[in-house]
Amino acid sequence: MGHDADDRALLAAHVAGDPDAFGVLFSRHRDRLWAVALRTTGNPEDAADGLQDGMVAAYRRAGSFRGDSAVTTWLHRVVVNACLDRIRAAKVRAADPLPDDLDDSARRGAVVRSDAAPAIVPRAPDDPADLALVADRRARVLDALSRLGADQRAALVLVDMEGYAVAEAAAILDCAVGTVKSRCARGRARLAELLADLVATADPPIAPPAGNRRAPGDVPSPGDPRGPPTVAP
């Protein structure tokens, strides 16, 4: 099966016994799946395990794909569920840090997109005192995000950080659109409570671009220590 085959053809070829098709499919979506796993779990080690678990599950259960969604939506659903299973099983402490590369997303205005909890990371200053203030604020933001429940955090990762439409996030999380909206609203409200003092004193927030979506390659590169691992089903 060639690299120019569409996702459905690759998945069908894998089910039919093509030994290379799944590898081509995974390589095509690897960076995006890694980014979602990284932000859902909060650290590279758990993200690598979650991605590995998800891809093994997808490899083995490819025949169960019903075709009622895009293949990439199905892959994201499997990976996110694997990551959430790991979070719940390990009872991850609320103070566990989020990925170091989250500040890159913040500079793009993608930390929180909500009137209730506006982005509060100011533009990078040059003054050392201001730099210290930015670092403190960033630590506060990361700590607040880490206190969200797994389901709320997953919804906010997909909608507010990865730029998915609510309907797409609902398909990935395998729940109703209203459930995603509710999880995002509760998560944003909680962030607004935790970060109320920063919201009141922050510089004007950086407005996120309409329909902000992370580009497929806009994640740590494979050569980066935090980059996506090689998954061998």
Side-chain angles (χ1 to χ4, degrees):
M1 180 65 62
H3 286 254
D4 57 347
D6 65 32
D7 289 347
R8 288 176 183 266
L10 286 169
L11 196 62
H14 165 64
V15 173
D18 187 320
D20 301 319
F22 192 84
V24 174
L25 180 65
F26 172 65
S27 295
R28 180 176 295 175
H29 300 290
R30 175 172 172 256
D31 283 352
R32 194 73 185 275
L33 292 169
W34 168 250
V36 170
L38 188 62
R39 287 160 179 78
T40 301
T41 60
N43 65 80
E45 292 77 15
D46 287 338
D49 289 339
L51 182 58
Q52 176 85 19
D53 291 349
M55 287 297 95
V56 169
Y59 183 91
R60 293 174 176 172
R61 303 196 326 243
S64 68
F65 175 67
R66 300 187 301 270
D68 54 359
S69 65
V71 172
T72 182
T73 298
W74 177 72
L75 289 174
H76 276 72
R77 180 188 305 160
V78 175
V79 170
V80 169
N81 284 338
C83 291
L84 292 178
D85 286 345
R86 280 194 167 270
I87 291 172
R88 293 173 184 133
K91 297 181 179 179
V92 175
R93 296 177 55 226
D96 281 351
L98 287 177
D100 291 339
D101 69 334
L102 182 59
D103 54 351
D104 294 333
S105 295
R107 284 193 290 272
R108 289 191 293 272
V111 175
V112 178
R113 296 189 327 201
S114 167
D115 292 337
I120 62 170
V121 179
R123 294 172 182 83
D126 296 322
D127 185 87
D130 289 338
L131 286 172
L133 180 60
V134 168
D136 178 68
R137 286 176 172 173
R138 176 178 177 274
R140 285 283 310 280
V141 171
L142 297 182
D143 178 69
L145 285 169
S146 73
R147 297 189 187 197
L148 299 180
D151 290 336
Q152 291 178 10
R153 183 167 170 175
L156 285 176
V157 164
L158 292 172
V159 175
D160 285 354
M161 296 177 67
E162 293 300 319
Y164 278 103
V166 172
E168 290 179 287
I172 291 171
L173 296 173
D174 198 19
C175 63
V177 168
T179 300
V180 174
K181 290 181 178 179
S182 176
R183 290 174 181 174
C184 287
R186 291 199 303 269
R188 291 164 183 157
R190 178 60 176 152
L191 289 182
E193 293 176 3
L194 294 170
L195 302 173
D197 59 316
L198 295 188
V199 172
T201 60
D203 294 339
I206 303 172
N212 179 46
R213 178 183 291 279
R214 182 180 296 277
D218 193 13
V219 293
S221 65
D224 190 296
R226 293 174 287 110
T230 299
V231 174

Coordinates of all heavy atoms in Angstrom, one line a residue, residues 31-69:
D31 N 2.7 13.0 14.7 CA 2.9 14.2 15.5 C 1.7 14.8 16.2 O 1.8 15.2 17.3 CB 3.4 15.3 14.5 CG 4.9 15.1 14.1 OD1 5.5 14.2 14.7 OD2 5.4 15.8 13.2
R32 N 0.6 14.7 15.5 CA -0.7 15.2 16.1 C -1.1 14.4 17.3 O -1.6 14.8 18.3 CB -1.8 15.3 15.1 CG -3.0 16.2 15.5 CD -2.6 17.6 15.5 NE -3.7 18.4 16.0 CZ -4.8 18.9 15.3 NH1 -4.8 18.6 14.0 NH2 -5.7 19.6 15.9
L33 N -1.0 13.1 17.1 CA -1.4 12.1 18.2 C -0.5 12.3 19.4 O -0.9 12.3 20.5 CB -1.3 10.7 17.7 CG -2.4 10.3 16.6 CD1 -2.0 8.9 16.1 CD2 -3.8 10.3 17.2
W34 N 0.8 12.5 19.1 CA 1.8 12.8 20.2 C 1.4 14.0 21.0 O 1.5 14.1 22.2 CB 3.2 12.8 19.7 CG 4.2 13.3 20.6 CD1 4.9 14.5 20.6 CD2 4.7 12.7 21.8 NE1 5.7 14.6 21.7 CE2 5.6 13.5 22.4 CE3 4.4 11.4 22.4 CZ2 6.3 13.2 23.6 CZ3 5.0 11.1 23.6 CH2 6.0 11.9 24.2
A35 N 1.1 15.1 20.2 CA 0.8 16.4 20.9 C -0.4 16.2 21.8 O -0.4 16.8 22.9 CB 0.5 17.5 19.8
V36 N -1.4 15.5 21.3 CA -2.6 15.4 22.2 C -2.3 14.5 23.4 O -2.7 14.8 24.5 CB -3.8 14.7 21.3 CG1 -4.9 14.3 22.2 CG2 -4.3 15.7 20.3
A37 N -1.5 13.4 23.2 CA -1.2 12.6 24.3 C -0.3 13.3 25.3 O -0.5 13.2 26.6 CB -0.4 11.4 23.8
L38 N 0.6 14.2 24.9 CA 1.5 14.9 25.7 C 0.7 15.9 26.6 O 0.9 16.0 27.8 CB 2.5 15.7 24.9 CG 3.6 16.4 25.6 CD1 4.5 15.4 26.4 CD2 4.5 17.2 24.6
R39 N -0.3 16.6 26.0 CA -1.1 17.6 26.8 C -2.1 16.9 27.6 O -2.5 17.5 28.6 CB -1.6 18.6 25.8 CG -0.5 19.5 25.3 CD -0.9 20.2 24.0 NE 0.2 21.1 23.6 CZ 1.3 20.7 23.0 NH1 1.4 19.4 22.7 NH2 2.3 21.5 22.7
T40 N -2.6 15.8 27.2 CA -3.6 15.1 28.0 C -3.0 14.5 29.3 O -3.6 14.6 30.4 CB -4.3 14.0 27.2 OG1 -4.9 14.6 26.1 CG2 -5.4 13.3 28.1
T41 N -1.9 13.9 29.2 CA -1.2 13.3 30.3 C -0.4 14.2 31.2 O -0.4 14.1 32.4 CB -0.3 12.1 29.9 OG1 0.7 12.7 29.1 CG2 -1.1 11.0 29.2
G42 N 0.2 15.2 30.5 CA 0.9 16.2 31.3 C 2.4 16.0 31.4 O 3.2 16.8 31.9
N43 N 2.9 14.8 30.9 CA 4.4 14.6 30.9 C 4.8 13.6 29.9 O 4.0 12.8 29.5 CB 4.8 14.2 32.3 CG 4.3 12.8 32.7 OD1 4.8 11.8 32.3 ND2 3.2 12.8 33.5
P44 N 6.0 13.7 29.4 CA 6.4 12.9 28.2 C 6.4 11.4 28.5 O 6.1 10.6 27.6 CB 7.9 13.4 28.0 CG 7.9 14.7 28.5 CD 7.0 14.7 29.7
E45 N 6.7 11.0 29.7 CA 6.7 9.5 30.0 C 5.3 8.9 29.9 O 5.2 7.9 29.2 CB 7.3 9.3 31.4 CG 8.8 9.7 31.6 CD 9.0 11.2 31.7 OE1 8.1 11.9 31.9 OE2 10.2 11.6 31.5
D46 N 4.4 9.6 30.6 CA 3.0 9.0 30.5 C 2.4 9.2 29.1 O 1.6 8.3 28.6 CB 2.1 9.7 31.5 CG 2.4 9.3 32.9 OD1 2.9 8.2 33.1 OD2 2.0 10.1 33.8
A47 N 2.8 10.3 28.4 CA 2.4 10.4 27.0 C 2.8 9.3 26.1 O 2.1 8.8 25.3 CB 2.8 11.8 26.5
A48 N 4.1 9.0 26.3 CA 4.7 7.9 25.5 C 4.0 6.6 25.7 O 3.6 5.8 24.8 CB 6.2 7.8 25.7
D49 N 3.7 6.3 27.0 CA 3.0 5.1 27.4 C 1.6 5.1 26.9 O 1.1 4.1 26.3 CB 3.0 4.9 28.9 CG 4.3 4.6 29.5 OD1 5.2 4.1 28.7 OD2 4.6 4.8 30.7
G50 N 0.9 6.3 27.0 CA -0.5 6.4 26.5 C -0.6 6.2 25.0 O -1.5 5.6 24.5
L51 N 0.4 6.8 24.3 CA 0.4 6.7 22.8 C 0.7 5.3 22.4 O 0.1 4.7 21.5 CB 1.5 7.6 22.2 CG 1.6 7.7 20.7 CD1 0.3 8.1 20.1 CD2 2.7 8.6 20.3
Q52 N 1.6 4.6 23.1 CA 1.9 3.2 22.9 C 0.7 2.3 23.1 O 0.3 1.5 22.2 CB 3.0 2.7 23.8 CG 3.4 1.3 23.6 CD 4.3 1.0 22.5 OE1 5.0 1.9 22.0 NE2 4.4 -0.3 22.1
D53 N 0.0 2.5 24.2 CA -1.2 1.8 24.5 C -2.3 2.0 23.5 O -2.9 1.0 23.0 CB -1.8 2.2 25.9 CG -0.9 1.7 27.1 OD1 0.1 1.0 26.8 OD2 -1.1 2.2 28.2
G54 N -2.4 3.3 23.1 CA -3.5 3.6 22.1 C -3.2 3.0 20.7 O -4.1 2.4 20.1
M55 N -1.9 3.0 20.3 CA -1.6 2.5 19.0 C -1.7 1.0 19.0 O -2.1 0.4 18.0 CB -0.2 3.0 18.6 CG -0.2 4.5 18.1 SD -1.3 4.8 16.7 CE -2.8 5.3 17.5
V56 N -1.3 0.3 20.1 CA -1.4 -1.1 20.1 C -2.9 -1.5 20.1 O -3.3 -2.4 19.4 CB -0.8 -1.7 21.4 CG1 -1.2 -3.1 21.6 CG2 0.7 -1.5 21.4
A57 N -3.8 -0.8 20.8 CA -5.2 -1.0 20.8 C -5.8 -0.8 19.4 O -6.6 -1.6 18.9 CB -5.9 -0.1 21.8
A58 N -5.3 0.3 18.7 CA -5.8 0.6 17.4 C -5.4 -0.5 16.4 O -6.1 -0.9 15.5 CB -5.3 1.9 16.9
Y59 N -4.1 -0.9 16.5 CA -3.6 -2.0 15.7 C -4.4 -3.3 15.8 O -4.7 -3.9 14.8 CB -2.1 -2.2 16.1 CG -1.4 -3.2 15.2 CD1 -0.7 -2.9 14.1 CD2 -1.4 -4.6 15.6 CE1 0.0 -3.8 13.3 CE2 -0.7 -5.5 14.8 CZ 0.0 -5.1 13.7 OH 0.7 -6.0 12.9
R60 N -4.7 -3.6 17.0 CA -5.4 -4.9 17.3 C -6.9 -4.8 16.9 O -7.5 -5.8 16.6 CB -5.2 -5.3 18.7 CG -3.8 -5.7 19.0 CD -3.6 -6.0 20.5 NE -2.2 -6.4 20.8 CZ -1.8 -6.6 22.0 NH1 -2.6 -6.3 23.1 NH2 -0.5 -7.0 22.2
R61 N -7.5 -3.6 17.1 CA -9.0 -3.4 17.0 C -9.4 -2.8 15.7 O -10.5 -2.3 15.6 CB -9.5 -2.7 18.2 CG -9.2 -3.3 19.5 CD -10.1 -2.8 20.7 NE -10.4 -1.4 20.6 CZ -10.1 -0.4 21.4 NH1 -9.3 -0.8 22.4 NH2 -10.5 0.8 21.3
A62 N -8.5 -2.7 14.7 CA -8.8 -2.0 13.5 C -10.0 -2.5 12.8 O -10.7 -1.8 12.2 CB -7.5 -2.0 12.6
G63 N -10.2 -3.8 13.0 CA -11.4 -4.4 12.3 C -12.7 -3.9 12.9 O -13.8 -4.1 12.3
S64 N -12.7 -3.3 14.1 CA -13.9 -2.8 14.7 C -14.2 -1.4 14.2 O -15.3 -0.9 14.6 CB -13.7 -2.8 16.2 OG -12.8 -1.9 16.7
F65 N -13.4 -0.8 13.5 CA -13.7 0.6 13.0 C -14.9 0.5 12.1 O -15.0 -0.2 11.1 CB -12.5 1.1 12.1 CG -12.7 2.4 11.5 CD1 -12.9 3.6 12.3 CD2 -12.8 2.6 10.1 CE1 -13.1 4.8 11.7 CE2 -13.0 3.8 9.5 CZ -13.2 4.9 10.3
R66 N -15.9 1.3 12.5 CA -17.2 1.2 11.9 C -17.4 2.1 10.6 O -18.3 2.0 9.9 CB -18.4 1.6 12.9 CG -18.4 0.7 14.1 CD -19.6 1.0 14.9 NE -19.6 2.3 15.4 CZ -19.1 2.7 16.5 NH1 -18.4 1.8 17.3 NH2 -19.1 4.0 16.9
G67 N -16.4 3.1 10.5 CA -16.5 4.0 9.4 C -17.5 5.1 9.5 O -17.7 5.8 8.5
D68 N -18.0 5.4 10.7 CA -18.9 6.5 10.9 C -18.2 7.8 11.3 O -18.9 8.7 11.7 CB -20.0 6.1 12.0 CG -19.4 5.6 13.3 OD1 -18.1 5.6 13.4 OD2 -20.1 5.3 14.2
S69 N -16.9 7.8 11.3 CA -16.1 9.0 11.5 C -14.9 8.9 10.7 O -14.6 7.8 10.1 CB -15.8 9.1 13.0 OG -15.0 8.1 13.5

